[in-house]
Amino acid sequence: MTDAPVTKPAESTIVDGVHYHQYDIVIIGAGGAGMRAAIEAGPNASTAVISKLYPTRSHTGAAQGGMAAALANVEEDNWEWHTFDTVKGGDYLVDQDAAEILAKEAIDAVIDLENMGLPFNRTPEGKIDQRRFGGHTRDHGKSPVRRACYAADRTGHMILQTLYQNCVKRGINFFNEFYVLDLIMTNVDGVDQPSGVVAYDLSSGELHVFSGKAFIFATGGFGKIYKTTSNAHTLTGDGVGIIWRKGLPLEDMEFFQFHPTGLAGLGILLTEGARGEGAILRNASGERFMERYAPTIKDLAPRDIVARCMVKEVAEGRGAGPNKDYVYLDCTHLGAEVLETKLPDITEFARTYLGVDPVTEPVPVMPTAHYAMGGIPTNVKAEVLRDNTTVVPGLYAAGECACVSVHGSNRLGTNSLLDINVFGKRAGNNAVEYVKTAEFVPLPEDPAKFVRELLATIRTSTGTERIAVLRRELQEVMDAKAQVFRTDESLREVTETIHTLRERYKNIGVQDKGRRFNTDLLEAVELGFLLDLAEVVVFSARNRKESRGGHMRDDFPLRDDVNYLQHTMAYLSGDALSADAADHISLDWKPVTITRYQPMERKY
């Protein structure tokens, strides 16, 4: 990392009302991964960061509990134990070479942030403090370990602010409230390569084309395919959807994580850091039920296990509340000082949204859709793959939109903030090396044509279907039939609903016909991405006839390493709008990289 002056790009031009820009590196997304990449790229190549939000509103800011690193500041720890926990927590679908990189480079990633000015909590000796988190253990699973570096329960917010301040310091070029809606691919000597992206300027309604040598996708997740979710309204999977529509594959899309402790009925997240500080899950009778399921680490088992146990408690009649449809997170024994100093946000959330004071009463919680383990396939250099091994020259991805795969079928808590920093940095550095020798790929004639026609068609449509209605129906059926527990029958029902919604989507209409700040228009485009991605999630889930990590099949309750110890690779083929997913989605497999840890039973 360097503070060298940034290389300024050439002036933009306007042709037929379309603005044209040229940068060496174009980063799509200004959350943690995008800005971490920009900090590496900006001082060494002309760099643009395009974001649908103002950067400090990106969803990284919602991450609460911490960032894992085996610093061993408060007790013995090492990166090998962290690697093992990552692999085991991911139910052995983790690519172990990537997990080793994640755990090894975690220490430098934390120190980088500290040097940038991030205000971590401190021990009395002045070191970065660390606390427990689910699935993180010492000595290969023998007992919990304090590995999560944290800034109260606002760690993601602090990371986002710190990265943005350092981007400003380096003179990074931001294009805020620009929606990237298309990736332009140009065939060069028989190989499709990225040559530009097309973005819609929310403030003016004008189109902008950004040409570049390298492109980094860091656009986050797609949790809004679900109704009950910790994800912000903007997490609609635009970047993943764009890659999908370009005929590039998506990996392990069936694996979606449901965080155990969302506020019941709302999905607003209460950090796992609360359980790291000693909070306890209890059923209606006050029993600490996790002692029955995970006797060694109890409430700090991996998220997929805890979420299933909570749902099972409710299903078997031990739920709390008038409808017996949630369990409790009991923080009362922690005391007001711990809650107000180390967990201030979750304390405020419970008081504000449920009228419950965690200091004196337990908080109603149930699992909420939280994190996509699957996404755009990449190698450990953050290079996007067009199949199991072939790199797309000049195209990179990092963060939740990418699948490297360090999370396998279930991400450990605190590994997401780590992922964005480790692989965001790698994406930025490798893009810089690439553009040193790469040339700009020529743009096609009228590169903005597809986006211009797409937006015009929606804006001028006289259709009667309303976006909010279709989106709600999609989210409700995904919650009901494709959440923590799944069966072939429930997934088939979701598939049929999605097909119906896709037909109705052809008849959408928007009420706002204007050009400036037309969020109605953009939500229509976003719904298209949500329908695409929900369909891939469900189609992949029907094909995986086993239970593993975040994918629990009631009709196939056991993990099947003989047939399914491999990644799902989904490809778009045929007509994407056909009635049957089988007509336009094909599936293949990709081997899991195993280096030192052979699959074993997950006991906690």
Side-chain angles (χ1 to χ4, degrees):
M1 189 164 56
T2 174
D3 292 334
V6 70
T7 305
K8 294 295 182 183
E11 294 295 322
S12 63
T13 58
I14 303 176
V15 179
D16 296 331
V18 177
H19 298 253
Y20 286 81
H21 313 263
Q22 188 175 82
Y23 290 85
D24 292 330
I25 299 172
V26 179
I27 300 171
I28 303 95
M35 288 200 288
R36 189 66 188 84
I39 286 172
E40 301 302 321
N44 300 296
S46 63
T47 301
V49 180
I50 309 172
S51 175
K52 68 189 287 187
L53 299 170
Y54 190 76
T56 53
R57 290 186 60 227
S58 298
H59 199 61
T60 299
Q64 298 170 344
M67 175 174 165
L71 299 182
N73 280 355
V74 294
E75 59 183 314
E76 184 183 2
D77 199 5
N78 67 61
W79 68 265
E80 291 187 51
W81 297 349
H82 187 185
T83 302
F84 172 77
D85 291 337
T86 299
V87 172
K88 183 181 177 183
D91 218 350
Y92 295 92
L93 205 72
V94 171
D95 285 331
Q96 295 181 23
D97 57 341
E100 290 175 16
I101 288 170
L102 184 79
K104 284 180 179 178
E105 297 184 7
I107 296 167
D108 283 344
V110 169
I111 293 171
D112 281 349
L113 289 171
E114 181 182 36
N115 290 336
M116 290 183 206
L118 196 148
F120 285 109
N121 275 51
R122 299 284 171 173
T123 67
E125 297 77 29
K127 296 181 179 179
I128 294 173
D129 200 6
Q130 296 181 273
R131 62 184 171 202
R132 293 175 178 173
F133 240 77
H136 291 277
T137 68
R138 65 180 307 278
D139 202 12
H140 300 95
K142 289 188 177 179
S143 62
V145 70
R146 291 175 172 84
R147 185 177 290 146
C149 308
Y150 64 98
D153 58 354
R154 298 166 179 152
T155 313
H157 174 78
M158 296 300 185
I159 288 175
L160 200 62
Q161 298 289 336
T162 300
L163 292 177
Y164 183 60
Q165 290 164 8
N166 280 269
C167 283
V168 171
K169 175 183 176 182
R170 287 161 176 76
I172 304 298
N173 301 282
F174 282 91
F175 293 83
N176 300 326
E177 294 187 326
F178 277 56
Y179 279 57
V180 171
L181 298 177
D182 192 25
L183 170 66
I184 305 163
M185 301 289 282
T186 301
N187 190 280
V188 179
D189 297 328
V191 177
D192 286 340
Q193 293 184 223
S195 55
V197 293
V198 184
Y200 174 91
D201 179 2
L202 184 63
S203 67
S204 67
E206 296 176 326
L207 297 183
H208 292 248
V209 175
F210 294 80
S211 64
K213 297 178 181 179
F215 299 83
I216 302 173
F217 274 72
T219 53
F222 45 91
K224 293 306 288 185
I225 62 175
Y226 291 96
K227 179 183 177 182
T228 306
T229 177
S230 65
N231 285 196
H233 186 71
T234 53
L235 281 180
T236 50
D238 312 350
V240 183
I242 288 168
I243 293 293
W244 173 247
R245 291 179 181 181
K246 287 299 165 183
L248 295 172
L250 299 178
E251 181 177 350
D252 287 342
M253 291 290 284
E254 64 267 42
F255 296 108
F256 208 96
Q257 182 173 88
F258 301 91
H259 194 293
T261 52
L263 289 179
L266 298 173
I268 297 171
L269 194 65
L270 300 186
T271 175
E272 199 166 301
R275 284 174 283 139
E277 294 293 342
I280 296 169
L281 289 165
R282 299 188 187 278
N283 58 25
S285 65
E287 178 197 7
R288 186 180 188 177
F289 58 86
M290 284 307 299
E291 289 183 331
R292 286 190 274 112
Y293 300 105
T296 301
I297 57 177
K298 304 178 180 66
D299 305 272
L300 290 175
R303 289 173 177 175
D304 61 322
I305 293 175
V306 178
R308 286 197 295 273
C309 294
M310 293 169 67
V311 173
K312 186 176 181 181
E313 289 293 301
V314 169
E316 294 180 355
R318 295 184 289 276
N323 299 318
K324 299 186 182 300
D325 57 355
Y326 55 75
V327 298
Y328 290 119
L329 182 68
D330 183 5
C331 306
T332 57
H333 56 288
L334 300 182
E337 182 178 355
V338 169
L339 289 170
E340 298 290 358
T341 58
K342 291 189 174 183
L343 301 166
D345 272 4
I346 73 161
T347 303
E348 181 181 352
F349 292 162
R351 290 169 177 164
T352 301
Y353 297 108
L354 290 183
V356 172
D357 188 347
V359 175
T360 59
E361 52 193 326
V363 182
V365 292
M366 274 301 277
T368 179
H370 182 57
Y371 189 91
M373 272 77 73
I376 305 165
T378 71
N379 60 21
V380 296
K381 294 181 178 180
E383 297 169 316
V384 173
L385 303 174
R386 67 173 70 254
D387 52 36
N388 289 1
T389 57
T390 309
V391 168
V392 181
L395 189 57
Y396 302 82
E400 189 176 353
C401 73
C403 182
V404 63
S405 152
V406 288
H407 306 309
S409 60
N410 173 61
R411 176 181 65 77
L412 284 189
T414 70
N415 270 357
S416 60
L417 291 178
L418 177 57
D419 177 14
I420 61 177
N421 280 281
V422 168
F423 289 99
K425 180 178 181 178
R426 280 179 160 248
N429 283 330
N430 288 317
V432 166
E433 289 303 309
Y434 177 81
V435 302
K436 287 179 179 178
T437 56
E439 301 291 335
F440 286 99
V441 177
L443 292 169
E445 185 178 352
D446 194 5
K449 179 181 179 181
F450 170 77
V451 172
R452 182 172 58 248
E453 293 179 350
L454 171 69
L455 297 178
T457 299
I458 296 174
R459 184 186 286 114
T460 59
S461 172
T462 57
T464 57
E465 294 284 359
R466 291 290 171 255
I467 302 305
V469 173
L470 298 186
R471 184 176 59 224
R472 183 178 67 248
E473 292 184 20
L474 169 67
Q475 293 170 340
E476 288 177 348
V477 75
M478 289 294 289
D479 260 23
K481 306 290 185 179
Q483 208 204 41
V484 175
F485 288 94
R486 306 162 173 180
T487 65
D488 186 73
E489 181 180 2
S490 72
L491 295 170
R492 178 181 53 79
E493 291 173 6
V494 178
T495 302
E496 291 171 355
T497 300
I498 292 173
H499 293 163
T500 300
L501 292 174
R502 290 174 76 95
E503 286 300 312
R504 292 170 61 189
Y505 182 73
K506 297 176 183 178
N507 188 39
I508 58 171
V510 295
Q511 293 168 299
D512 187 348
K513 305 295 184 180
R515 298 183 65 85
R516 296 177 180 270
F517 293 101
N518 191 339
T519 55
D520 197 16
L521 174 67
L522 291 170
E523 285 186 2
V525 178
E526 290 171 339
L527 177 59
F529 290 131
L530 289 175
L531 288 168
D532 284 353
L533 299 179
E535 187 176 41
V536 181
V537 168
V538 174
F539 193 74
S540 299
R542 289 189 73 185
N543 186 61
R544 184 175 286 273
K545 297 177 175 62
E546 66 156 355
S547 291
R548 185 187 298 269
H551 171 69
M552 181 67 189
R553 287 283 297 262
D554 264 355
D555 45 355
F556 295 96
L558 301 180
R559 193 180 80 192
D560 180 0
D561 288 338
V562 174
N563 295 302
Y564 295 105
L565 184 61
Q566 46 193 341
H567 301 291
T568 300
M569 298 290 283
Y571 294 83
L572 177 63
S573 58
D575 180 6
L577 296 179
S578 63
D580 187 352
D583 291 340
H584 62 263
I585 300 176
S586 60
L587 299 179
D588 201 354
W589 301 106
K590 177 183 176 183
V592 175
T593 302
I594 297 175
T595 58
R596 62 173 73 188
Y597 300 115
Q598 293 300 316
M600 57 186 290
E601 184 180 356
R602 292 168 83 208
K603 290 184 178 180
Y604 289 96

